Short mmCIF file of all heavy atoms in Angstrom, two decimals:
data_model
loop_
_atom_site.label_atom_id
_atom_site.label_comp_id
_atom_site.label_asym_id
_atom_site.label_seq_id
_atom_site.Cartn_x
_atom_site.Cartn_y
_atom_site.Cartn_z
N ASN A 108 -75.79 210.96 -115.95
CA ASN A 108 -77.21 210.52 -115.89
C ASN A 108 -77.64 210.09 -117.26
O ASN A 108 -76.96 210.30 -118.27
CB ASN A 108 -78.03 211.83 -115.57
CG ASN A 108 -78.05 212.15 -114.10
OD1 ASN A 108 -78.50 211.38 -113.27
ND2 ASN A 108 -77.56 213.30 -113.78
N CYS A 109 -78.68 209.29 -117.31
CA CYS A 109 -79.18 208.80 -118.64
C CYS A 109 -80.10 209.84 -119.17
O CYS A 109 -81.28 209.94 -118.55
CB CYS A 109 -79.90 207.45 -118.47
SG CYS A 109 -78.85 206.08 -117.84
N ASP A 110 -79.74 210.58 -120.06
CA ASP A 110 -80.60 211.59 -120.70
C ASP A 110 -81.73 210.82 -121.52
O ASP A 110 -81.41 210.00 -122.33
CB ASP A 110 -79.77 212.45 -121.63
CG ASP A 110 -80.57 213.68 -122.15
OD1 ASP A 110 -81.43 213.44 -123.01
OD2 ASP A 110 -80.47 214.72 -121.65
N SER A 111 -82.99 211.28 -121.24
CA SER A 111 -84.10 210.57 -121.88
C SER A 111 -84.05 210.71 -123.38
O SER A 111 -84.64 209.85 -124.08
CB SER A 111 -85.36 211.15 -121.32
OG SER A 111 -85.50 212.55 -121.62
N GLY A 112 -83.35 211.72 -123.91
CA GLY A 112 -83.39 211.97 -125.31
C GLY A 112 -82.08 211.34 -125.96
O GLY A 112 -81.96 211.29 -127.13
N LEU A 113 -81.13 210.96 -125.14
CA LEU A 113 -79.80 210.56 -125.66
C LEU A 113 -79.52 209.11 -125.40
O LEU A 113 -78.60 208.53 -125.99
CB LEU A 113 -78.69 211.41 -125.05
CG LEU A 113 -78.72 212.86 -125.52
CD1 LEU A 113 -77.56 213.70 -124.73
CD2 LEU A 113 -78.66 213.08 -126.91
N TRP A 114 -80.09 208.50 -124.42
CA TRP A 114 -79.71 207.20 -123.93
C TRP A 114 -79.75 206.12 -124.97
O TRP A 114 -79.01 205.20 -124.93
CB TRP A 114 -80.57 206.68 -122.75
CG TRP A 114 -81.85 206.19 -123.10
CD1 TRP A 114 -83.09 206.92 -123.04
CD2 TRP A 114 -82.33 204.89 -123.63
NE1 TRP A 114 -84.18 206.16 -123.47
CE2 TRP A 114 -83.65 204.89 -123.83
CE3 TRP A 114 -81.54 203.68 -123.82
CZ2 TRP A 114 -84.43 203.79 -124.34
CZ3 TRP A 114 -82.18 202.59 -124.28
CH2 TRP A 114 -83.52 202.66 -124.51
N SER A 115 -80.62 206.24 -125.95
CA SER A 115 -80.76 205.21 -127.00
C SER A 115 -79.90 205.50 -128.22
O SER A 115 -80.01 204.65 -129.26
CB SER A 115 -82.24 205.13 -127.45
OG SER A 115 -82.65 206.24 -127.92
N LEU A 116 -79.09 206.50 -128.28
CA LEU A 116 -78.27 206.82 -129.40
C LEU A 116 -76.94 206.29 -129.19
O LEU A 116 -76.22 206.55 -128.23
CB LEU A 116 -78.24 208.37 -129.62
CG LEU A 116 -79.61 209.14 -129.65
CD1 LEU A 116 -79.38 210.56 -129.81
CD2 LEU A 116 -80.36 208.56 -130.86
N LYS A 117 -76.43 205.57 -130.21
CA LYS A 117 -75.19 204.83 -130.03
C LYS A 117 -74.02 205.72 -129.92
O LYS A 117 -73.03 205.45 -129.24
CB LYS A 117 -74.96 203.84 -131.22
CG LYS A 117 -74.97 204.42 -132.59
CD LYS A 117 -74.83 203.34 -133.66
CE LYS A 117 -74.88 204.01 -135.06
NZ LYS A 117 -74.79 203.03 -136.13
N TRP A 118 -74.14 206.84 -130.50
CA TRP A 118 -72.94 207.83 -130.40
C TRP A 118 -72.86 208.63 -129.08
O TRP A 118 -71.95 209.34 -128.92
CB TRP A 118 -72.99 208.88 -131.64
CG TRP A 118 -74.29 209.53 -131.87
CD1 TRP A 118 -74.79 210.58 -131.14
CD2 TRP A 118 -75.24 209.19 -132.84
NE1 TRP A 118 -76.00 210.83 -131.67
CE2 TRP A 118 -76.38 210.08 -132.71
CE3 TRP A 118 -75.32 208.18 -133.76
CZ2 TRP A 118 -77.49 209.95 -133.55
CZ3 TRP A 118 -76.45 208.06 -134.65
CH2 TRP A 118 -77.45 208.93 -134.45
N SER A 119 -73.83 208.27 -128.25
CA SER A 119 -73.72 208.86 -126.79
C SER A 119 -72.67 208.15 -126.04
O SER A 119 -72.33 208.53 -124.92
CB SER A 119 -75.12 208.72 -126.11
OG SER A 119 -76.04 209.57 -126.84
N TYR A 120 -72.19 206.97 -126.50
CA TYR A 120 -71.36 206.13 -125.75
C TYR A 120 -69.94 205.90 -126.41
O TYR A 120 -69.91 205.68 -127.59
CB TYR A 120 -72.00 204.73 -125.49
CG TYR A 120 -73.32 204.84 -124.84
CD1 TYR A 120 -74.48 204.98 -125.62
CD2 TYR A 120 -73.55 204.90 -123.48
CE1 TYR A 120 -75.68 205.08 -125.06
CE2 TYR A 120 -74.80 205.01 -122.82
CZ TYR A 120 -75.85 205.07 -123.71
OH TYR A 120 -77.12 205.22 -123.10
N ASN A 121 -68.89 205.84 -125.67
CA ASN A 121 -67.60 205.56 -126.25
C ASN A 121 -66.97 204.33 -125.64
O ASN A 121 -65.91 203.99 -126.04
CB ASN A 121 -66.63 206.78 -126.05
CG ASN A 121 -66.38 207.12 -124.63
OD1 ASN A 121 -66.85 206.47 -123.71
ND2 ASN A 121 -65.74 208.22 -124.45
N TYR A 122 -67.60 203.62 -124.77
CA TYR A 122 -67.10 202.34 -124.32
C TYR A 122 -68.20 201.30 -124.56
O TYR A 122 -69.38 201.37 -124.15
CB TYR A 122 -66.89 202.38 -122.77
CG TYR A 122 -65.73 203.22 -122.34
CD1 TYR A 122 -65.89 204.38 -121.50
CD2 TYR A 122 -64.47 202.96 -122.84
CE1 TYR A 122 -64.92 205.23 -121.11
CE2 TYR A 122 -63.43 203.89 -122.45
CZ TYR A 122 -63.69 205.00 -121.68
OH TYR A 122 -62.63 205.76 -121.23
N TRP A 123 -67.72 200.20 -125.16
CA TRP A 123 -68.56 199.06 -125.63
C TRP A 123 -67.95 197.76 -125.21
O TRP A 123 -66.74 197.58 -125.31
CB TRP A 123 -68.79 199.17 -127.13
CG TRP A 123 -69.47 200.38 -127.69
CD1 TRP A 123 -68.98 201.57 -127.91
CD2 TRP A 123 -70.93 200.46 -127.87
NE1 TRP A 123 -69.98 202.44 -128.29
CE2 TRP A 123 -71.13 201.69 -128.23
CE3 TRP A 123 -71.99 199.60 -127.66
CZ2 TRP A 123 -72.39 202.22 -128.60
CZ3 TRP A 123 -73.26 200.00 -128.03
CH2 TRP A 123 -73.46 201.36 -128.42
N GLY A 124 -68.79 196.83 -124.90
CA GLY A 124 -68.33 195.48 -124.86
C GLY A 124 -68.19 194.78 -126.22
O GLY A 124 -68.55 195.36 -127.24
N GLN A 125 -67.79 193.58 -126.19
CA GLN A 125 -67.52 192.85 -127.43
C GLN A 125 -68.78 192.17 -127.99
O GLN A 125 -68.82 191.67 -129.19
CB GLN A 125 -66.54 191.69 -127.18
CG GLN A 125 -66.97 190.37 -126.57
CD GLN A 125 -67.45 190.48 -125.12
OE1 GLN A 125 -67.16 191.50 -124.45
NE2 GLN A 125 -67.90 189.38 -124.61
N GLY A 126 -69.88 192.09 -127.21
CA GLY A 126 -71.09 191.54 -127.72
C GLY A 126 -71.28 190.11 -127.26
O GLY A 126 -70.34 189.36 -127.08
N THR A 127 -72.60 189.72 -127.11
CA THR A 127 -72.88 188.31 -126.81
C THR A 127 -74.12 188.02 -127.67
O THR A 127 -75.06 188.85 -127.83
CB THR A 127 -73.22 188.13 -125.31
OG1 THR A 127 -73.42 186.83 -125.05
CG2 THR A 127 -74.45 189.00 -124.78
N GLN A 128 -74.12 186.88 -128.30
CA GLN A 128 -75.17 186.47 -129.26
C GLN A 128 -76.34 185.86 -128.55
O GLN A 128 -76.22 184.95 -127.66
CB GLN A 128 -74.53 185.38 -130.26
CG GLN A 128 -75.58 184.94 -131.24
CD GLN A 128 -76.02 185.92 -132.33
OE1 GLN A 128 -75.18 186.60 -132.91
NE2 GLN A 128 -77.27 186.04 -132.56
#
Side-chain angles (χ1 to χ4, degrees):
N108 283 296
C109 298
D110 186 284
S111 61
L113 297 176
W114 75 264
S115 62
L116 303 179
K117 59 185 178 182
W118 48 81
S119 295
Y120 304 90
N121 61 7
Y122 293 118
W123 295 85
Q125 82 288 353
T127 187
Q128 176 71 47

